[in-house]
Amino acid sequence: MKKNALMIPVIGLVLLVWSCSSEPVHEVNKKLVGNWISKNGDTKLEITDKGFTMDDGKPVTEDYFVTKDTIFTSYEGSRPYTRFVIKELNDHKLTLFYPDSDLVEFSR
């Protein structure tokens, strides 16, 4: 019984140290943040620090995070995530591979 009583605080301490020492959660690339419009004008994309809103007739805001060259979105924490691969990103142009492999160019 003493071993179990001692293990609980030790496990708690290990989890606390691990959570404090891990990397910050996927920081947003500041070049992504802003309002974008597709080349054909059919889709608007608004990216903030916390939300990814795609408006192609029905605006939907999703949570998102970025890992390397991929944007992962989810609606209210749902999984699996929707993936958008960034092909090109600069101050005025964003090119994304959609989940269905369509390539869409956006500009500011």
Side-chain angles (χ1 to χ4, degrees):
M1 187 69 168
K2 278 187 168 183
K3 285 184 180 179
N4 287 341
L6 182 62
M7 290 300 291
I8 292 172
V10 169
I11 291 171
L13 181 62
V14 168
L15 290 173
L16 179 66
V17 169
W18 175 74
S19 67
C20 292
S21 66
S22 63
E23 292 181 22
V25 177
H26 314 285
E27 295 215 8
V28 176
N29 182 335
K30 295 300 178 188
K31 287 184 181 179
L32 275 176
V33 175
N35 295 311
W36 300 91
I37 188 161
S38 64
K39 191 174 183 180
N40 64 9
D42 290 343
T43 304
K44 295 175 186 163
L45 181 61
E46 179 184 350
I47 301 175
T48 65
D49 288 339
K50 298 182 184 199
F52 181 96
T53 304
M54 187 169 294
D55 184 353
D56 52 2
K58 296 180 184 175
V60 176
T61 300
E62 301 184 51
D63 298 327
Y64 79 101
F65 63 91
V66 179
T67 301
K68 296 182 183 176
D69 66 346
T70 306
I71 302 169
F72 294 90
T73 66
S74 71
Y75 184 70
E76 296 180 353
S78 298
R79 292 185 185 172
Y81 297 108
T82 304
R83 289 181 9 180
F84 297 87
V85 177
I86 301 168
K87 180 179 179 199
E88 182 179 353
L89 173 63
N90 62 42
D91 291 332
H92 303 287
K93 184 177 180 182
L94 170 63
T95 305
L96 294 177
F97 278 111
Y98 274 39
D100 59 1
S101 299
D102 284 345
L103 187 65
V104 179
E105 292 182 20
F106 293 91
S107 62
R108 290 192 199 253

